[in-house]
């Protein structure tokens, strides 16, 4: 039985990484247009990199939550895949291997001059904005900004997984950003059971077969260790 889990910032909230929307969300304190767009970067790469350096510092100190660890453990026992909107790499740090990153990864950088991509885990960055180790050009975070296309391969894999899911869980996402927010509906339309785990209601709630109104760790514990294992799978 294929289980596909779409995760959002909420699964990392329990690791101490701020979400974007909802209570205490980042976008309540910063305007996305000032920080997470190609235009913002063009206008002021230093400001954008100061924000990403701060977020990288937060994430470097964060530990995978119980929710990340449950998914990493279940991946060994079930045909389970993670599609994440998060760029923090916490699923991989928890041990998950089958992870599709829709919005890139905050630890990867890309040179705007020569196009090279590589991981740079320096915290804090010695120079802001950082320069390409190959050509000395300007580096940018290898993440998807508002108005940018998602990585084609990741998006295609995410559609394939959503179409083949028998159970689709949406965990810790406000389901407001497309095309990620479309994936649970694609899964449902092709016959999957749709399960939402989120302390708040979202636009997905009316479509969910099961809506678990808790945090990610509690919700995944409940779902996998009572609903699924309780009935045997
Ligand atoms: N457990 C589960 N969900 C939680 C928790 C928790 N402990 N705490 C908060 N949430 C929920 C909130 O209720 C909210 O619905 O997590 C969701 C976080 O929503 P967003 O902050 O909008 O994050 P996300 O849905 O991942 O945003 C999608 O928007 O800004 C872009 O690229 C960015 O990937 C991001 C995308």
């Amino acid at each position: 039985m294929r289980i596909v889990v779409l995760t959002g910032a909420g699964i990392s909230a329990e690791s101490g990484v701020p979400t974007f929307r909802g209570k205490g969300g980042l976008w309540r304190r910063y305007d996305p247009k000032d920080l997470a767009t190609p235009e913002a970067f063009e206008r002021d790469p230093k400001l954008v990199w100061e924000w990403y350096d701060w977020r990288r510092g937060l994430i470097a100190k964060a530990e995978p939550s119980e929710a990340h660890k449950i998914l990493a453990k279940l991946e060994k026992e079930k045909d389970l895949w993670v599609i994440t909107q998060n760029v923090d790499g916490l699923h991989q740090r928890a041990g998950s291997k089958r992870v599709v990153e829709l919005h890139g990864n905050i630890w990867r950088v890309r040179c705007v001059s020569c196009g090279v991509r590589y991981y740079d885990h320096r915290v804090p960055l010695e120079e802001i904005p950082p320069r390409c180790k190959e050509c000395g050009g300007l580096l940018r975070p290898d993440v998807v900004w508002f108005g940018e296309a998602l990585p084609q391969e990741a998006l295609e894999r995410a559609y394939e997984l959503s179409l083949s899911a028998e159970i689709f869980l949406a965990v810790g996402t406000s389901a407001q950003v497309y095309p990620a927010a479309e994936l649970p509906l694609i899964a449902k339309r092709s016959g999957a059971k749709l399960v939402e785990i989120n302390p708040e209601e979202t636009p997905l709630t009316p479509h969910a077969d099961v809506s678990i109104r808790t945090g990610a760790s509690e919700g995944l514990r409940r779902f996998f260790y009572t609903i699924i294992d309780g009935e045997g799978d």
Side-chain angles (χ1 to χ4, degrees):
M1 170 170 60
R2 172 153 289 179
I3 301 172
V4 176
V5 188
L6 171 69
T7 63
I11 198 167
S12 297
E14 297 178 4
S15 302
V17 180
T19 61
F20 293 97
R21 299 166 187 83
K23 285 187 282 299
L26 281 172
W27 294 141
R28 294 200 169 198
R29 281 176 277 151
Y30 301 92
D31 182 341
K33 283 191 301 304
D34 297 342
L35 293 163
T37 63
E39 296 73 23
F41 187 72
E42 183 81 28
R43 190 173 52 244
D44 190 344
K46 188 170 176 304
L47 172 69
V48 172
W49 264 115
E50 278 165 358
W51 188 58
Y52 275 92
D53 195 38
W54 171 71
R55 282 182 66 201
R56 287 158 54 107
L58 267 186
I59 290 165
K61 287 199 283 285
E63 286 302 319
S65 66
E66 188 198 346
H68 291 109
K69 290 176 189 160
I70 289 173
L71 293 177
K73 177 174 169 297
L74 287 169
E75 180 187 89
K76 298 179 179 63
E77 302 157 15
K78 300 178 184 300
D79 177 15
L80 184 140
W81 291 75
V82 171
I83 302 170
T84 191
Q85 301 172 84
N86 302 337
V87 297
D88 56 33
L90 287 174
H91 283 297
Q92 294 91 325
R93 272 184 50 199
S96 288
K97 301 271 182 288
R98 297 197 293 269
V99 180
V100 176
E101 291 183 318
L102 285 181
H103 294 161
N105 186 304
I106 202 167
W107 297 112
R108 212 175 36 242
V109 292
R110 182 166 93 229
C111 177
V112 297
S113 306
C114 72
V116 74
R117 277 183 168 84
Y118 55 89
Y119 282 89
D120 178 338
H121 283 90
R122 290 177 296 166
V123 173
L125 288 165
E126 279 95 46
E127 79 284 351
I128 289 189
R131 313 300 295 185
C132 175
K133 69 182 180 187
E134 302 296 331
C135 76
L138 183 61
L139 290 172
R140 59 163 281 177
D142 194 20
V143 298
V144 178
W145 281 329
F146 289 102
E148 291 189 317
L150 273 62
Q152 195 50 36
E153 199 180 321
L155 191 52
E156 278 164 15
R157 187 69 187 122
Y159 282 132
E160 281 165 23
L161 289 168
S162 303
L163 286 166
S164 63
E166 287 170 67
I167 294 180
F168 192 102
L169 286 96
V171 182
T173 180
S174 62
Q176 290 177 42
V177 173
Y178 286 77
E182 186 69 34
L183 298 172
L185 303 175
I186 290 172
K188 178 132 176 94
R189 276 200 294 270
S190 42
K193 279 274 171 276
L194 180 56
V195 179
E196 179 180 48
I197 299 176
N198 194 320
E200 293 171 16
E201 294 213 350
T202 73
L204 218 44
T205 306
H207 304 277
D209 295 288
V210 178
S211 224
I212 304 175
R213 195 69 57 239
T214 67
S217 299
E218 169 59 26
L220 285 170
R221 210 179 14 249
R222 232 187 260 184
F223 181 73
F224 282 107
Y225 299 137
T226 50
I227 300 172
I228 286 273
D229 287 353
E231 289 165 9
D233 52 351

